[in-house]
C-alpha cells in the first residue's frame, strides 16, 4: 500500500505538469533550471560539496539520502528502502530522488543533488526521470568526485569517530586511525560486486587535496567564481555545521535503529539484541550502540542489497556483537 502511494504521488505529479493551463510558469522554471548531479563513493565529500554550492553559490541542495534518513518517519520511504535492500528494487528510490530534485527546480534556478550512486544504470534512470519531469537535458550537469583512497579513508575515520561518540562509543584504543584506513582500503579491494563505475558523460573533479583546491576544482568544473578573500577554514566554518545538524536530526528520528532492524531481518544475527532478563536501561544502551555501529558502517559502504547482505567473517560478527553488548571490542 505504501509503495502504491509513492507511485501514485509520482504519477499525480507528472499529470499535474501536463496541465499546461495551470503549470506553464512552473514548467518553464523547471526547464530553464540548471541541475547538477554530484556523485562519488562514500567519504568523497558529496554532501559537503552540495552544501558548499548552496552556501557560496546559491544552489538549492537536495541531499540524496533524504528518503533513507526518513524511513522512521515516512512509511512510503521505509517500504521503498526495504525493497531496495531486500529485493534490489532500486527504481522507486531514484524516481523519488528525481521528484525531489524537480520540486526544488520549481522554485530555484540552480539545484544540486548529491548522492553515492554506484551504477550507471541507476544514474541514467534518475536522469531519465528528470527529463520526463520537464528538465532540459542540456541543463543537466553530471559531476563525479574522485579522491585518493587513503585521503578518503582518513576522512571516513574522523567522521565515523565523531558519530560513534555521538552514540556513546569511542574508537580510541580500539581501532587506531591507521588501522581503520588499512581495513577500509583492504575491504574495498575485496569488494568486486560494488565497484564504483565511471560515467561517460561526467565531469571528473578531484578533491583529494582536502583544502581550497576542493572548492577551486568544483568551481572550475561548473564555471563558477567566488571571492578570494575567504580562506578554506572560513568557508568550512559556514559549510560543515549544515551536515552536522543533519546528523543530529537523523540520530534523533530513529533512523539507525530502523536500519538495524532491517539488517537483523535480513539475517544479520550480530545485530540481534537479547532483551529477555536484561535491565530496561541496559537494553536501551545496547540499542543505542547498535544504532551507532550501523551508522558507522553505512558511512563506509553503499546502502545496497549486496552490501548489506555481504558475507562477513565470524571475527567481524563477534566484534560487532561485543560492541553492542558492552560498548567495547573484545577479541
Amino acid at each position: 500500500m505504501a509503495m502504491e502511494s509513492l507511485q501514485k504521488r509520482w504519477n499525480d505529479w507528472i499529470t499535474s505538469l501536463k496541465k499546461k493551463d495551470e503549470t506553464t510558469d512552473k514548467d518553464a522554471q523547471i526547464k530553464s533550471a540548471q541541475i547538477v548531479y554530484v556523485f562519488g563513493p562514500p567519504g568523497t565529500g558529496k554532501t559537503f560539496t552540495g552544501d558548499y554550492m548552496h552556501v557560496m553559490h546559491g544552489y538549492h541542495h537536495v541531499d540524496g539520502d533524504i528518503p533513507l534518513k526518513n524511513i522512521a518517519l515516512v512509511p512510503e520511504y521505509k517500504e521503498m528502502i526495504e525493497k531496495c535492500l531486500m529485493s534490489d528494487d532500486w527504481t522507486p528510490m531514484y524516481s523519488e530522488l528525481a521528484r525531489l530534485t524537480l520540486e526544488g527546480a520549481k522554485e530555484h534556478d540552480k539545484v544540486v543533488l548529491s548522492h553515492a550512486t554506484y551504477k550507471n544504470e541507476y544514474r541514467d534512470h534518475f536522469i531519465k526521470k528528470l527529463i520526463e519531469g520537464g528538465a532540459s537535458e542540456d541543463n543537466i550537469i553530471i559531476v563525479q568526485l574522485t579522491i585518493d583512497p587513503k585521503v578518503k579513508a582518513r576522512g571516513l575515520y574522523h567522521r565515523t569517530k565523531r558519530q560513534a561518540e555521538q552514540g556513546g562509543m569511542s574508537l580510541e584504543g580500539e581501532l587506531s586511525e591507521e588501522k581503520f584506513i588499512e581495513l577500509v582500503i583492504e575491504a574495498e579491494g575485496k569488494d568486486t560486486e560494488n565497484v564504483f563505475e565511471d560515467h561517460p558523460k561526467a565531469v571528473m573533479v578531484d578533491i583529494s587535496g582536502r583544502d581550497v583546491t576542493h572548492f577551486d576544482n568544483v568551481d572550475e568544473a561548473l564555471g563558477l567564481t567566488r571571492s578570494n578573500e575567504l580562506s578554506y577554514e572560513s568557508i568550512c566554518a559556514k559549510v560543515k555545521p549544515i551536515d552536522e545538524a543533519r546528523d543530529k536530526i537523523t540520530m534523533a528520528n530513529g533512523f539507525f535503529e530502523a536500519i538495524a532492524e532491517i539488517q537483523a531481518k535480513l539475517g544479520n544475527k550480530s545485530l540481534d539484541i537479547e532483551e529477555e532478563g536484561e535491565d530496561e536501561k541496559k537494553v536501551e544502551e545496547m540499542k543505542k550502540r547498535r544504532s551507532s555501529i550501523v551508522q558507522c558502517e553505512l558511512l563506509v559502504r553503499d546502502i545496497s542489497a549486496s552490501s548489506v547482505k555481504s558475507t562477513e567473517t565470524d571475527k567481524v560478527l563477534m566484534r560487532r556483537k561485543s560492541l553492542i553488548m558492552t560498548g567495547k571490542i573484545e577479541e
Side-chain angles (χ1 to χ4, degrees):
M1 183 65 69
M3 284 301 295
E4 291 176 2
S5 174
L6 197 62
Q7 183 61 48
K8 183 176 184 300
R9 181 192 302 174
W10 172 262
N11 292 338
D12 290 347
W13 193 82
I14 291 296
T15 299
S16 73
L17 292 179
K18 295 178 180 179
K19 296 179 180 178
K20 299 297 182 182
D21 56 327
E22 299 177 10
T23 61
T24 301
D25 291 343
K26 295 300 181 184
D27 283 353
Q29 174 65 32
I30 290 173
K31 191 174 183 65
S32 65
Q34 181 195 76
I35 297 176
V36 180
Y37 180 19
V38 176
F39 53 76
T44 52
K46 302 170 300 299
T47 306
F48 179 76
T49 298
D51 287 337
Y52 161 74
M53 291 171 64
H54 167 69
V55 170
M56 298 302 298
H57 298 295
Y59 281 78
H60 173 71
H61 180 203
V62 179
D63 177 7
D65 288 334
I66 287 174
L68 182 65
K69 291 177 178 177
N70 285 279
I71 60 172
L73 304 177
V74 182
E76 294 94 336
Y77 285 168
K78 184 175 187 292
E79 185 171 347
M80 181 175 70
I81 296 301
E82 284 183 345
K83 279 184 173 291
C84 183
L85 296 177
M86 297 178 181
S87 307
D88 201 26
D89 184 4
W90 46 265
T91 53
M93 184 175 74
Y94 287 98
S95 295
E96 179 64 4
L97 291 183
R99 190 190 70 82
L100 292 170
T101 303
L102 291 166
E103 282 289 344
K106 281 185 178 181
E107 307 295 336
H108 305 272
D109 58 4
K110 298 185 296 183
V111 181
V112 55
L113 171 88
S114 60
H115 189 254
T117 317
Y118 270 60
K119 297 184 179 181
N120 287 331
E121 183 182 7
Y122 305 165
R123 299 162 184 165
D124 292 341
H125 175 85
F126 168 74
I127 293 168
K128 177 184 175 182
K129 287 296 182 179
L130 288 181
I131 296 171
E132 180 182 322
S136 169
E137 186 173 4
D138 293 338
N139 291 337
I140 299 173
I141 302 174
I142 307 171
V143 174
Q144 181 170 338
L145 301 182
T146 63
I147 190 172
D148 178 89
K150 285 189 176 181
V151 174
K152 182 185 74 170
R154 196 174 302 279
L156 280 172
Y157 170 81
H158 288 289
R159 186 176 179 187
T160 301
K161 181 174 179 291
R162 170 172 62 83
Q163 295 190 331
E165 289 169 353
Q166 287 180 334
M169 297 188 303
S170 173
L171 298 182
E172 297 290 347
E174 310 290 354
L175 190 62
S176 71
E177 182 174 340
E178 295 307 316
K179 184 63 176 178
F180 180 95
I181 292 170
E182 178 186 329
L183 290 174
V184 168
I185 293 176
E186 179 183 350
E188 290 183 345
K190 292 179 179 178
D191 188 0
T192 58
E193 192 168 352
N194 292 313
V195 176
F196 199 88
E197 299 175 355
D198 290 340
H199 196 283
K201 295 183 179 180
V203 179
M204 298 294 181
V205 177
D206 182 72
I207 48 88
S208 299
R210 293 303 203 209
D211 53 23
V212 73
T213 60
H214 181 141
F215 306 140
D216 291 342
N217 292 345
V218 170
D219 289 353
E220 181 180 358
L222 298 173
L224 303 172
T225 59
R226 70 176 190 279
S227 171
N228 291 325
E229 296 179 1
L230 294 174
S231 66
Y232 175 75
E233 290 74 19
S234 62
I235 295 175
C236 286
K238 295 175 181 288
V239 174
K240 286 185 176 180
I242 298 174
D243 198 40
E244 290 173 0
R246 284 196 199 96
D247 286 343
K248 290 180 180 178
I249 293 171
T250 301
M251 285 286 287
N253 70 16
F255 158 69
F256 293 108
E257 182 58 27
I259 281 290
E261 290 174 359
I262 292 174
Q263 289 189 326
K265 191 185 298 185
L266 284 168
N268 191 335
K269 297 301 182 183
S270 66
L271 291 172
D272 285 344
I273 291 178
E274 300 170 4
E275 299 186 27
E276 187 175 351
E278 294 287 358
D279 177 74
E280 183 177 339
K281 183 178 179 181
K282 185 177 179 180
V283 170
E284 288 304 312
E285 289 175 350
M286 287 191 289
K287 286 184 177 181
K288 186 177 181 181
R289 287 195 291 263
R290 179 174 71 173
S291 296
S292 298
I293 290 168
V294 170
Q295 178 184 18
C296 294
E297 291 177 350
L298 295 187
L299 288 171
V300 180
R301 59 188 185 183
D302 184 31
I303 304 299
S304 65
S306 55
S307 66
V308 172
K309 295 177 181 178
S310 59
T311 303
E312 295 172 307
T313 66
D314 290 341
K315 188 173 184 179
V316 170
L317 296 175
M318 289 300 294
R319 281 178 169 177
R320 186 188 294 129
K321 192 73 173 178
S322 172
L323 267 173
I324 292 172
M325 296 297 292
T326 67
K328 298 179 180 179
I329 294 177
E330 296 178 359
E331 298 292 347

